[in-house]
Amino acid sequence: MAENGGSEVSDGLKTFGVVLKVLRDEACLTQEEFAERVGYSVHYVAKIEQGKRFPPTDLVGRVGEVLGTTAARVLTEAAKSLTRRAGLASWFRHWAGIEEEAGTLYAYECRVVPGLLQPESYIRAVLERQLPPVTEDQLEQQSAARMDRQRLLSVRPTTSFGFVIEQSVLERHLGGDEVTKAVLDRLLAAALQRNVEIQIMPTLHEDHYGFDGPFYLAETSDNRWIGYVEGHNSSSLLSNPKLASAMLQRYGKLRSQALSCQASRSLLEHMRGAL
């Protein structure tokens, strides 16, 4: 899903990064020492301090253990300045909000691995092929925004996630074999979650209902279904009940035609072993 735009690095992220750096400096800790104590890589800590990575949800707690409760309180206040929409294109933000509140999320993809399932190396491989090209700062911010969205899979354990992905997407090896290995590992790990279903659609299939292209569906808190389609830096939300119902029927057909979750895992394991 090409949900990222070319916006500037958010002031909120920059502010949070500066505050973290000041707190670390006040404690007379180098990045290397601080990273080791909080349990993150030096590279990751550096990116957070530069305002190029969203901080993980448990960072404040870890900082409190290392720097004390006052530092944790200061960082908590700084976190309130974060804009979690930074890095998301304006035409995608409405759907991103719906996505965060949905009780059920379905996706059918025939172009790329769905954004919620993309490992960082794959995200970069996709973003590096954007036209017109993006700057390194834009790439970092957009990558961070997409990684941040993936929190949904862990922080929404009662949300049902369903993904039908064309086998050809994985066989393309976008970014090379190492990136594809990371993709397969990510899919296999996600498939172990009780609230996540991943099904692979075989490339050869005479009876196939995906000819209208990729789409996404969300069930709202009041049990309404909303559809979403996108392409070429534009998107459409389909809230009309008849249109959403038709998309839901189409997803049901695709789900029945794809490999079962168990067979899909076996195929993913076979593909991973072949690399």
Side-chain angles (χ1 to χ4, degrees):
M1 180 183 281
E3 69 268 26
N4 294 309
S7 55
E8 299 297 325
V9 177
S10 77
D11 290 337
L13 283 175
K14 284 183 176 179
T15 299
F16 185 92
V18 168
V19 171
L20 179 61
K21 183 179 185 302
V22 169
L23 291 172
R24 176 178 61 74
D25 287 342
E26 285 294 311
C28 298
L29 293 175
T30 65
Q31 277 190 347
E32 289 77 8
E33 292 168 336
F34 178 74
E36 182 178 359
R37 295 190 187 189
V38 295
Y40 292 111
S41 71
V42 177
H43 176 76
Y44 193 37
V45 169
K47 291 299 183 183
I48 294 174
E49 290 188 354
Q50 293 165 13
K52 296 179 179 179
R53 283 286 187 277
F54 281 96
T57 54
D58 61 348
L59 178 63
V60 172
R62 296 192 188 193
V63 168
E65 294 174 2
V66 175
L67 304 182
T69 56
T70 299
R73 288 174 59 189
V74 171
L75 207 58
T76 297
E77 291 302 311
K80 294 179 181 178
S81 69
L82 295 181
T83 304
R84 290 201 172 274
R85 291 291 182 265
L88 299 182
S90 58
W91 46 265
F92 178 78
R93 290 173 187 167
H94 192 175
W95 173 254
I98 293 171
E99 192 178 57
E100 290 184 357
E101 302 298 325
T104 304
L105 280 168
Y106 291 147
Y108 164 66
E109 263 296 355
C110 57
R111 306 165 305 174
V112 294
V113 174
L116 291 177
L117 297 174
Q118 296 178 0
E120 186 170 8
S121 58
Y122 186 89
I123 291 173
R124 293 186 67 89
V126 171
L127 296 177
E128 286 169 354
R129 289 159 177 79
Q130 284 191 158
L131 293 174
V134 297
T135 67
E136 184 64 24
D137 280 349
Q138 289 171 335
L139 190 151
E140 290 286 352
Q141 186 193 12
Q142 293 174 24
S143 176
R146 193 170 301 191
M147 292 293 290
D148 184 64
R149 279 183 56 232
Q150 296 181 5
R151 295 177 309 109
L152 289 177
L153 292 177
S154 57
V155 302
R156 299 296 300 272
T158 59
T159 295
S160 297
F161 296 89
F163 302 93
V164 176
I165 306 169
E166 289 287 341
Q167 183 176 343
S168 58
V169 170
L170 305 176
E171 292 175 335
R172 185 171 298 131
H173 287 206
L174 179 68
D177 287 351
E178 292 303 313
V179 172
T180 302
K181 287 178 183 178
V183 168
L184 295 172
D185 288 342
R186 178 76 176 95
L187 295 179
L188 286 167
L192 295 176
Q193 295 182 219
R194 286 181 306 214
N195 60 327
V196 177
E197 291 186 347
I198 296 177
Q199 294 179 256
I200 305 302
M201 178 68 74
T203 301
L204 298 178
H205 208 305
E206 292 184 2
D207 189 21
H208 189 283
Y209 278 76
F211 49 80
D212 276 346
F215 61 89
Y216 292 72
L217 281 161
E219 183 183 19
T220 65
S221 58
D222 57 353
N223 303 117
R224 292 183 300 111
W225 285 94
I226 297 176
Y228 174 80
V229 294
E230 67 171 27
H232 296 281
N233 293 328
S234 63
S235 65
S236 296
L237 280 175
L238 305 176
S239 57
N240 181 290
K242 289 185 178 180
L243 294 177
S245 176
M247 293 180 73
L248 191 59
Q249 291 178 51
R250 187 175 298 280
Y251 185 79
K253 286 286 189 181
L254 290 167
R255 198 175 186 179
S256 68
Q257 294 166 343
L259 298 177
S260 68
C261 292
Q262 182 176 355
S264 295
R265 284 197 299 272
S266 296
L267 176 60
L268 292 172
E269 290 170 351
H270 174 76
M271 295 175 74
R272 179 64 175 85
L275 288 174

